[in-house]
Each structure stands twice: as structure tokens, then as C-alpha cells.
Amino acid sequence: INAEYMGASSCGQPHLAFCLALDDMLASWTRLLTLHPYRVNFVQGAVLFFSGDILAQRFLEPRETQKPAVNWRRAVSAGSVGAGYIGFLFTGFYRVLDTRWPPLSSSPRVLLAKVALDLVLFGVFGNAGQMCMRRLLAGDSRNQAAAYTLDHIPPVVVADWCLWGPYDLFAFRFIPTYMRPLTSGVLSLCWNTFTSWSSHRTHRDR
């Protein structure tokens, strides 16, 4: 029995070591988020938008044989938008909200006020702003970028409210302020893939 127990323990050691290492990494990352929220989220935002754009190019957009598989300049431009969007706007917005209203409040009035502000500011103006910025970085004139944004933003806003509304209700109730940009960023990887594709659609993709 002891031999069997010793064997089971030794077999479980690699998994235990991995769990402990993962726990240490998460603890270190949480400390960094608490101490340097803007710097850490600046990096997170750049990585998430960069990755989302590459995923959109590889798997959502029609492949044209004369074009390379990945437009790296476009991906880097998306990353620069994400650095500012997640690193400064998202992080600052969450901190201001939790200064104005108590964080993790269970009050329906407070929760709904936070969610409504998020859906209006980021769901409408945030998505429109980043879509317009992506078009400008892609070479459009200001008039072209504005016209494209007005034409393509309505379905993006609807999708945003369907995805981020339920998430916001959960996040504002249960997720601490310093962790919220990270959890929002993880969900943003999927969302940014969609917005990147939406920001570079052609009329035949519609």
C-alpha cells in the first residue's frame, strides 16, 4: 500500500509543480497589476489587439493569393490602438467608476449605472473611435474613415451590447478593479478579432 501511495505521489508531482508555478505567475502578475496598472495594461492591450488582428487576417478574412498571409504593418497598428485603448482608457475608466461608486457593489442602481456608462462610452464611442483610428492607420483619409465607420458601426454596437452587457454585470459585482482590465482583456481577444475584421471589411464581405 505504501509503495502504491509513493508511486501515486511521485506521478502527481509534475502536476503539482506546474500548479505551483502557475500560482506564482498569477500572484506576480496580480502584484504588477496592483502596483503598475497603466504600464501592465498598456502591454496587455498591445498584445491583445495585435493578436486579435492576426487571428482576423488568418481565419475570418477572405484569402487573396496575391497578398501575404499576414499584414504585419496592420497588426502593429492594431497593437498601438490597443495599447492606448486598454492601457489608458479602460484602466482609467474602471478606476474612475470605482472611485465614484463603491467597487463590487450589490446595489442594482449602482450596477446598472456602471453598465450603462460602459455600454455607451465604450460600446458606441469607443468602438467607433477605434474603428476610425484603424482606418486612418490603414491609409484612409479622414472623410473616408468617418464614412466607413458610420456605415459599419451599427452591427458592432449591437454585438458589443450583447456580449459586454452581461459581462459588465458580472465584472462590476465580483471582479476587483485591478483585475478587471485583465479579465476584460482576455474576453477582448475574441472581441478584437471581430472588431478588426469589422474595421477592414469590404463591401463584398457584407
Side-chain angles (χ1 to χ4, degrees):
I1 295 174
N2 290 337
E4 290 176 0
Y5 176 78
M6 292 289 289
S9 298
S10 62
C11 288
Q13 284 178 358
H15 298 87
L16 178 62
F18 173 77
C19 291
L20 289 173
L22 183 61
D23 187 62
D24 287 342
M25 288 175 60
L26 289 174
S28 299
W29 195 250
T30 300
R31 266 196 314 274
L32 283 173
L33 278 170
T34 306
L35 295 172
H36 309 288
Y38 288 98
R39 295 178 188 176
V40 175
N41 285 305
F42 182 90
V43 175
Q44 286 182 165
V47 171
L48 289 167
F49 272 58
F50 178 84
S51 303
D53 188 76
I54 290 177
L55 288 173
Q57 292 187 53
R58 293 284 296 175
F59 301 111
L60 294 182
E61 297 173 9
R63 189 70 56 84
E64 297 182 11
T65 55
Q66 70 270 25
K67 290 186 177 181
V70 174
N71 183 335
W72 294 105
R73 179 180 177 183
R74 183 184 125 180
V76 170
S77 296
S80 66
V81 173
Y85 195 70
I86 299 291
F88 297 111
L89 292 180
F90 249 44
T91 304
F93 173 73
Y94 284 141
R95 292 170 75 86
V96 167
L97 276 190
D98 286 340
T99 301
R100 174 64 180 81
W101 287 295
L104 308 184
S105 172
S106 60
S107 166
R109 182 178 177 183
V110 171
L111 283 174
L112 290 175
K114 288 182 174 182
V115 170
L117 275 173
D118 188 286
L119 293 182
V120 171
L121 291 177
F122 286 100
V124 179
F125 297 106
N127 282 317
Q130 66 157 300
M131 180 177 286
C132 189
M133 182 61 68
R134 288 176 191 259
R135 298 304 304 179
L136 289 171
L137 291 172
D140 283 3
S141 68
R142 282 181 294 181
N143 289 338
Q144 288 173 326
Y148 182 96
T149 301
L150 289 174
D151 189 31
H152 290 80
I153 198 62
V156 173
V157 171
V158 171
D160 182 286
W161 289 359
C162 291
L163 175 66
W164 291 99
Y167 166 79
D168 284 340
L169 285 171
F170 178 83
F172 287 130
R173 177 66 184 90
F174 297 107
I175 301 176
T177 305
Y178 67 89
M179 284 294 295
R180 217 171 288 144
L182 174 60
T183 58
S184 300
V186 172
L187 185 58
S188 290
L189 179 60
C190 301
W191 177 250
N192 293 331
T193 303
F194 170 70
T195 55
S196 182
W197 170 72
S198 298
S199 298
H200 295 277
R201 293 167 64 190
T202 60
H203 285 284
R204 83 186 159 189
D205 297 330
R206 302 171 65 181

